[in-house]
Amino acid sequence: MKPATPAVHQQSGLRLRSSVNLWLVALRLACLAGLLATSVCLSWWTPVLAGALALSYRWSATRLAAVDPEDEPANLQKKRRWKNPLRGKPTSGSLTDLPEPRLLELQTAALSDALADGADDTDTVDDCQALRAFEPVRRGTACAFARRARLWGGPAWRPRLPLAANAAACAPRLRLFCRVCAELGLDGFVIRLVGEHLCGDFRRFSAAVYGTLSTLAACNTGGGGDCMAEPHRLHQTGWVFRFHGQTFFVTTFAPFYGPEDSRFAFGASDGFLLLQPELSFAQHDLPPDTPHTNWGGAEEGDGHQTVRDRIRCAFRDAGQAYRIRDTTVYPMIEDIVMPPKSMGSADLPEGS
């Protein structure tokens, strides 16, 4: 459950830079106006205003030279120069805890049918076969947030139906999830893939995951269109899976992964898609993504580790170190289904 960079961090950094730039523009305009006013009759204000104007440009040039664009979000987070407006998880995690007017609103929106799909009367969004099958992964993974994560799951898998039909059956529940994930503090939506023909190896699992996401994207009615409709865009750095107004970081787990893989299924016989809303990372106040990792060595100091550093170290210590690129700008699609290390295509991070 590798955390992604929440968009709110980048947006807040942009807002901070925009605010500083506006003040600089205002200062420079004031200095220019003052210079024009005193140009007719020179006074002691003239050198003061000229000096202030020169210093403002020198300060801007110094900042641009000293700050690496990729490190800037991390520096902003570290220095706490801005506040995350989404920080803090709601205390409730169940639909039954919602106020009655809110429940009525959801029912009026014709979303209550997502709670009973007809396969199992006891199978609900927060207590279902998908979540029970996923439990070994939740208990076994080195992710620090897994055990207390608030998860919902898709409807029971129907073996007689094709993949597309089972994926489409998840759309109503996922739509409901998107509507309430912020106010309930939900962390992920689990979709279970059943069958050797879907989860038997990397190739078949990749095709099944692609088919599932494509079917869900085609069912999107919440604006933004079908994010899977143009395959050539999937490998662009700006692509992200979108559904009903939410953006998701998608991870997968399958039985063919070995115990050395971060996507190991811990004995589960099924494959899983875990759709994590990026909003959840913001609510947990995770720091922005960075290619640098403090591995806890004496030269770096254990006390300066971020949550992201500790998660990476936990996976490394469990023998499941995952690839950490030297940049934070790369296609997200490449991390959805990771090649198993047995294929020899996954690089270990430094410090492993």
Side-chain angles (χ1 to χ4, degrees):
M1 298 183 184
K2 176 184 173 184
T5 304
V8 65
H9 291 299
Q10 297 176 350
Q11 293 170 354
S12 299
L14 290 173
R15 284 196 295 270
L16 175 63
R17 288 193 293 273
S18 298
S19 177
V20 172
N21 289 336
L22 287 175
W23 279 105
L24 281 175
V25 170
L27 173 64
R28 290 166 182 169
L29 288 175
C31 290
L32 287 172
L35 286 173
L36 290 174
T38 58
S39 61
V40 177
C41 181
L42 295 179
S43 69
W44 65 273
W45 277 105
T46 303
V48 171
L49 292 172
L53 188 62
L55 284 174
S56 72
Y57 280 101
R58 181 175 179 80
W59 182 80
S60 296
T62 302
R63 276 181 56 84
L64 287 174
V67 176
D68 185 337
E70 285 202 354
D71 290 341
E72 187 172 4
N75 292 334
L76 291 174
Q77 174 74 7
K78 182 177 178 180
K79 295 178 182 180
R80 294 292 178 183
R81 292 173 60 183
W82 61 274
K83 292 183 179 180
N84 176 4
L86 298 176
R87 181 182 181 183
K89 301 288 286 185
T91 57
S92 171
S94 172
L95 274 176
T96 57
D97 295 329
L98 288 175
E100 187 173 346
R102 178 61 173 149
L103 281 174
L104 181 60
E105 176 188 345
L106 294 174
Q107 292 169 353
T108 303
L111 292 170
S112 59
D113 61 336
L115 304 180
D117 52 51
D120 185 347
D121 291 338
T122 64
D123 192 89
T124 60
V125 289
D126 53 1
D127 183 15
C128 58
Q129 294 179 26
L131 292 182
R132 290 190 288 271
F134 188 68
E135 193 60 22
V137 179
R138 181 207 282 263
R139 293 197 311 266
T141 182
C143 178
F145 297 103
R147 295 195 178 188
R148 61 178 185 270
R150 296 171 182 166
L151 304 178
W152 279 14
W157 187 268
R158 299 171 182 173
R160 295 185 178 181
L161 295 181
L163 172 70
N166 277 292
C170 295
R173 288 191 180 197
L174 183 57
R175 192 176 300 117
L176 178 60
F177 176 94
C178 293
R179 284 179 172 263
V180 299
C181 64
E183 56 193 301
L184 294 183
L186 302 177
D187 296 302
F189 187 89
V190 177
I191 298 175
R192 179 188 180 199
L193 303 181
V194 180
E196 180 76 11
H197 64 295
L198 299 178
C199 310
D201 57 36
F202 175 72
R203 180 185 58 80
R204 284 179 282 180
F205 188 59
S206 297
V209 169
Y210 180 84
T212 301
L213 293 178
S214 296
T215 300
L216 286 173
C219 296
N220 180 30
T221 59
D226 183 346
C227 66
M228 302 285 290
E230 300 179 82
H232 67 279
R233 295 187 179 276
L234 301 184
H235 290 276
Q236 295 178 354
T237 57
W239 180 88
V240 65
F241 184 75
R242 299 176 181 273
F243 188 86
H244 207 73
Q246 293 291 339
T247 58
F248 290 90
F249 181 72
V250 185
T251 51
T252 56
F253 306 84
F256 62 82
Y257 286 109
E260 70 279 5
D261 292 302
S262 61
R263 306 298 179 83
F264 183 50
F266 294 92
S269 59
D270 305 315
F272 302 95
L273 280 79
L274 176 61
L275 279 63
Q276 300 171 264
E278 291 191 322
L279 176 72
S280 171
F281 299 119
Q283 289 181 325
H284 279 296
D285 202 28
L286 264 67
D289 196 7
T290 171
H292 171 76
T293 303
N294 179 354
W295 295 106
E299 69 280 1
E300 293 182 290
D302 294 348
H304 295 90
Q305 285 186 321
T306 65
V307 173
R308 189 180 298 278
D309 292 331
R310 292 193 292 272
I311 290 174
R312 291 173 175 176
C313 289
F315 275 96
R316 177 201 60 183
D317 296 342
Q320 298 175 333
Y322 52 80
R323 179 185 182 188
I324 302 172
R325 293 171 173 81
D326 57 3
T327 177
T328 59
V329 182
Y330 57 88
M332 185 181 291
I333 193 78
E334 296 178 1
D335 277 355
I336 291 182
V337 182
M338 299 288 289
K341 291 180 180 176
S342 59
M343 294 179 64
S345 57
D347 298 327
L348 293 177
E350 60 175 309
S352 60

